[in-house]
Amino acid sequence: MSDDTRTDADKARRHKASMQKQKARVDAAVEAADNERGVVILLTGNGKGKSSSAFGMVMRALGYGHSVGVVQFIKGVQLSGEEIYLRDHCPTVDFHQMGTGFTWNTQDRDSDIAAAEATWAKVEPMLADPGKDLVILDEITYMIGYKYLDEAKVLDAIANRPVEQSVIVTGRGGGSALRELADTVSEVKDIKHAFKAGIKARKGVDY
């Protein structure tokens, strides 16, 4: 056996041993995770992709025939690909938008608070419905941060949802109490963005 062949065989053995150890760790973790219930996932950070990730989970849930509710705070003035697709192809999705657009466009706090509360009224029945498997609260963190919605009321409704229901919350910030409540927190970091280089938002990619 040549030195090269011996080296390749040693690499193969080391790789197999390493993968066997990794599999044992993964299998043990899977075995230990025996708590069957819905989860709260917070997708936050200043980077692009939080809502996109949430809508990916919408598609995943629909693939299993789950009942899904989507409520978008902030967005709703400019038409988006997600809205078009859900309305045209997923009529079973309970879909609502606040419809006022970004808060820096409205510049009317009282109007924004009224719109937020009206939109929250669409959320509460979803969070109380045991037949709703997944609820997306897109950009609701801004409503908490700007104090358009009562933080305690929002967190209480999420915490006391049906045990099998999962909730995805997106948006920057949201506060320490929301982070504490969430089972999973993922932060999207802004490293580089095409818009900062003067590249226009692209249909089908950005909206």
Side-chain angles (χ1 to χ4, degrees):
M1 181 184 294
S2 69
D3 290 343
D4 288 343
T5 302
R6 188 177 297 110
T7 299
D8 289 343
D10 288 342
K11 286 180 179 179
R13 281 194 294 271
R14 287 197 298 271
H15 176 77
K16 183 175 182 179
S18 176
M19 292 301 102
Q20 287 175 333
K21 290 180 180 179
Q22 183 172 328
K23 183 178 185 305
R25 289 194 295 268
V26 171
D27 288 346
V30 171
E31 183 68 23
D34 58 358
N35 187 358
E36 184 72 31
R37 65 171 177 82
V39 294
V40 177
I41 299 176
L42 172 61
L43 304 173
T44 188
N46 65 356
K48 172 181 168 54
K50 299 180 288 294
S51 296
S52 299
S53 177
F55 277 99
M57 282 182 266
V58 169
M59 297 301 107
R60 180 179 292 161
L62 291 175
Y64 288 106
H66 289 178
S67 176
V68 177
V70 177
V71 181
Q72 289 191 301
F73 295 83
I74 302 292
K75 300 187 179 84
V77 172
Q78 182 186 36
L79 196 64
S80 69
E82 303 94 81
E83 177 185 355
I84 295 170
Y85 187 84
L86 289 181
R87 293 196 187 282
D88 289 352
H89 302 286
C90 306
T92 61
V93 174
D94 197 356
F95 183 71
H96 300 278
Q97 293 176 320
M98 192 163 80
T100 57
F102 296 103
T103 54
W104 55 84
N105 288 328
T106 61
Q107 301 173 14
D108 186 334
R109 179 174 173 80
D110 290 341
S111 176
D112 285 344
I113 290 174
E117 290 178 344
T119 307
W120 175 251
K122 302 291 186 180
V123 174
E124 287 183 303
M126 295 185 190
L127 295 179
D129 183 0
K132 194 71 71 181
D133 299 294
L134 179 67
V135 177
I136 307 295
L137 303 180
D138 188 35
E139 311 284 18
I140 197 174
T141 59
Y142 294 98
M143 304 299 102
I144 297 172
Y146 291 142
K147 301 188 186 304
Y148 291 175
L149 293 176
D150 180 76
E151 179 184 39
K153 179 173 67 175
V154 172
L155 297 187
D156 184 67
I158 295 174
N160 291 290
R161 73 196 187 282
V163 67
E164 293 294 332
Q165 185 183 93
S166 293
V167 176
I168 314 299
V169 177
T170 76
R172 298 187 186 193
S176 59
L178 178 58
R179 285 178 177 255
E180 182 65 26
L181 174 63
D183 298 290
T184 298
V185 178
S186 293
E187 186 170 358
V188 182
K189 184 178 180 180
D190 184 17
I191 296 175
K192 188 177 183 180
H193 199 299
F195 183 72
K196 293 179 180 178
I199 302 173
K200 288 186 176 182
R202 190 160 182 81
K203 185 185 295 185
V205 176
D206 296 295
Y207 63 94

